[in-house]
């Protein structure tokens, strides 16, 4: 009798698949997905912060220019210029804001979440957070009455904080009960309103800072850098406080000297100057383009007298 081998019998060789103790290898697709998620997580806040810094710088420069009597169109600043000038102004407030966010995150993870998971967090807290606007709005109105110049920024901050409290209250509600009172559409609209409110806060803050800088300059122009201009011909600068002197040295390349000017801004090859005796009714900003024919001297000592 002949034995016929069965072709469907199980092979007796060792298994080639990974054992239970061997970790499965991650595919290139999953690694790329993790990288994309990491870039999105880091890139989105950076993009938002960059946009806010640019918007703050642009609004602040526009308000300051308007108070001094010129327009930012003559500055020809780049996006980087506006962002850098914003960082110089907001460096300390930004550090304080980041520190506050770190403290809040620590409290949320180490205190609030453990209490919510253990069921010891009072259920009235989410409802109180959703109704926080009943507190913040009257406070903003009261502060607006007490300090009218800050009315815009107080209202904007109150709206922003109210929306943040509503979103956080909804988050705690879902953590406690597994349910939410906000639909996906409502939550999306609240997030849009929050974004607009943040830009509103930035715009109001930039207005306050721009007006403050302009007021400091006009109150004491001598704090700015002093500028003396030499020209081969008359520049016809007829502004109160600016003195034109005709030079008598025949060997000099210049025939006229102008004193009493202060440097407001420099943009490229353009210098924005103002009189050290500023008067909002009669004074104006003078724009000079840097050329080989015109000589300029700058003095910090004169500015600090």
């Amino acid at each position: 009798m002949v034995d016929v081998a069965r072709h469907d019998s199980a092979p007796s060789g060792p298994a080639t698949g990974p054992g239970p103790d061997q970790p499965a290898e991650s595919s290139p697709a999953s690694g790329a997905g993790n990288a994309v998620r990491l870039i999105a997580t880091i890139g989105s806040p950076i993009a938002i912060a960059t946009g806010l810094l640019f918007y703050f710088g642009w609004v602040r420069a526009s308000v300051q220019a308007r108070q001094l009597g010129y327009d930012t169109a003559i500055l020809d600043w780049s996006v980087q210029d506006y962002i850098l000038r914003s960082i110089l102004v907001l460096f300390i407030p930004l550090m304080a804001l980041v520190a506050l966010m770190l403290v809040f995150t620590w409290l949320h993870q180490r205190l609030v979440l453990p209490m919510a998971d253990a069921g010891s967090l009072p259920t009235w807290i989410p409802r109180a957070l959703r109704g926080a606007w009943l507190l913040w709005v009257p406070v903003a109105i009261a502060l607006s009455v007490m300090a009218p110049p800050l009315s815009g920024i107080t209202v904007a901050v109150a709206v922003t904080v109210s929306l943040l409290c509503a979103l956080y209250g909804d988050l705690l509600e879902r953590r406690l009960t597994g349910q939410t009172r906000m639909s996906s559409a409502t939550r999306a609209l609240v997030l849009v309103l929050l974004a607009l409110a943040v830009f509103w806060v930035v715009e109001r803050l930039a207005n306050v800072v721009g007006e403050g800088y302009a007021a400091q300059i006009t109150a004491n122009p001598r704090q700015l850098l002093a500028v003396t201009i030499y020209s081969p011909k008359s520049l016809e600068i007829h502004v109160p406080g600016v003195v034109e002197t005709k030079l008598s040295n025949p060997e000099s390349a210049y025939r006229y000297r102008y004193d009493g000017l202060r440097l407001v801004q420099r943009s490229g090859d353009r210098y924005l100057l103002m009189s050290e005796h500023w008067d909002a009714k009669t004074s104006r900003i003078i724009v000079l383009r840097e050329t080989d024919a015109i000589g300029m001297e700058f003095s910090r000592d004169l500015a600090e007298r």
Side-chain angles (χ1 to χ4, degrees):
M1 179 179 294
V2 179
D3 292 333
V4 180
R6 297 184 60 181
H7 296 285
D8 57 348
S9 59
S12 59
T16 58
D21 297 333
Q22 297 177 354
E25 295 182 359
S26 60
S27 64
S30 62
N34 292 334
V36 171
R37 284 192 293 270
L38 178 62
I39 293 174
T41 302
I42 299 176
S44 297
I46 292 178
I48 293 173
T50 302
L52 290 174
L53 287 173
F54 168 74
Y55 186 61
F56 175 89
W58 177 74
V59 173
R60 196 216 80 177
S62 299
V63 172
Q64 181 176 329
R66 184 172 63 249
Q67 295 292 321
L68 295 177
Y70 67 97
D71 192 88
T72 53
I74 64 178
L75 295 177
D76 195 24
W77 283 353
S78 63
V79 174
Q80 183 179 3
D81 292 328
Y82 286 109
I83 293 175
L84 290 176
R85 283 167 172 79
S86 298
I87 294 176
L88 292 175
V89 176
L90 298 177
F91 181 74
I92 294 179
L94 285 175
M95 288 185 60
L97 180 61
V98 172
L100 183 62
M101 293 174 62
L102 289 175
V103 171
F104 174 79
T105 302
W106 185 86
L107 291 175
H108 175 72
Q109 294 179 347
R110 298 301 180 92
L111 181 64
V112 178
L113 289 184
M115 292 179 62
D117 294 338
S120 58
L121 187 69
T123 57
W124 58 266
I125 291 181
R127 294 193 299 271
L129 288 171
R130 286 196 299 267
W133 64 272
L134 295 173
L135 170 65
W136 292 113
V137 172
V139 169
I141 294 175
L143 291 176
S144 300
V145 173
M146 296 171 59
L150 300 178
S151 59
I153 191 170
T154 54
V155 174
V157 170
V159 172
T160 303
V161 174
S162 299
L163 292 172
L164 286 172
C165 289
L167 289 172
Y168 188 57
D170 181 67
L171 174 66
L172 293 181
E173 182 79 18
R174 283 184 290 166
R175 189 83 179 193
L176 287 172
T177 65
Q179 299 177 351
T180 178
R181 300 197 178 191
M182 283 189 186
S183 63
S184 299
T186 302
R187 193 176 300 110
L189 290 176
V190 172
L191 288 173
V192 171
L193 286 175
L194 178 61
L196 294 176
V198 170
F199 274 92
W200 186 16
V201 171
V202 171
E203 187 267 341
R204 291 289 88 196
L205 179 61
N207 266 278
V208 172
V209 174
E211 291 176 353
Y213 270 73
Q216 289 181 3
I217 292 174
T218 55
N220 182 23
R222 290 180 176 268
Q223 64 183 301
L224 302 175
L225 203 64
V227 183
T228 301
I229 301 175
Y230 296 90
S231 174
K233 54 186 177 180
S234 177
L235 298 178
E236 299 294 339
I237 300 177
H238 303 295
V239 177
V242 179
V243 179
E244 178 187 84
T245 303
K246 192 170 183 179
L247 304 177
S248 58
N249 187 356
E251 298 182 359
S252 174
Y254 303 109
R255 292 290 179 265
Y256 294 88
R257 186 184 72 222
Y258 295 88
D259 301 292
L261 291 166
R262 302 285 163 167
L263 178 64
V264 179
Q265 291 281 3
R266 181 188 176 184
S267 176
D269 61 347
R270 282 170 288 189
Y271 292 83
L272 277 66
L273 309 173
M274 67 183 297
S275 170
E276 63 183 14
H277 300 291
W278 177 263
D279 183 0
K281 296 181 179 179
T282 59
S283 297
R284 55 188 179 272
I285 296 295
I286 302 165
V287 181
L288 284 181
R289 190 176 295 272
E290 184 179 14
T291 63
D292 294 336
I294 295 178
M296 294 186 182
E297 287 184 356
F298 302 93
S299 172
R300 174 62 65 182
D301 294 335
L302 292 178
E304 295 176 349
R305 285 182 184 176

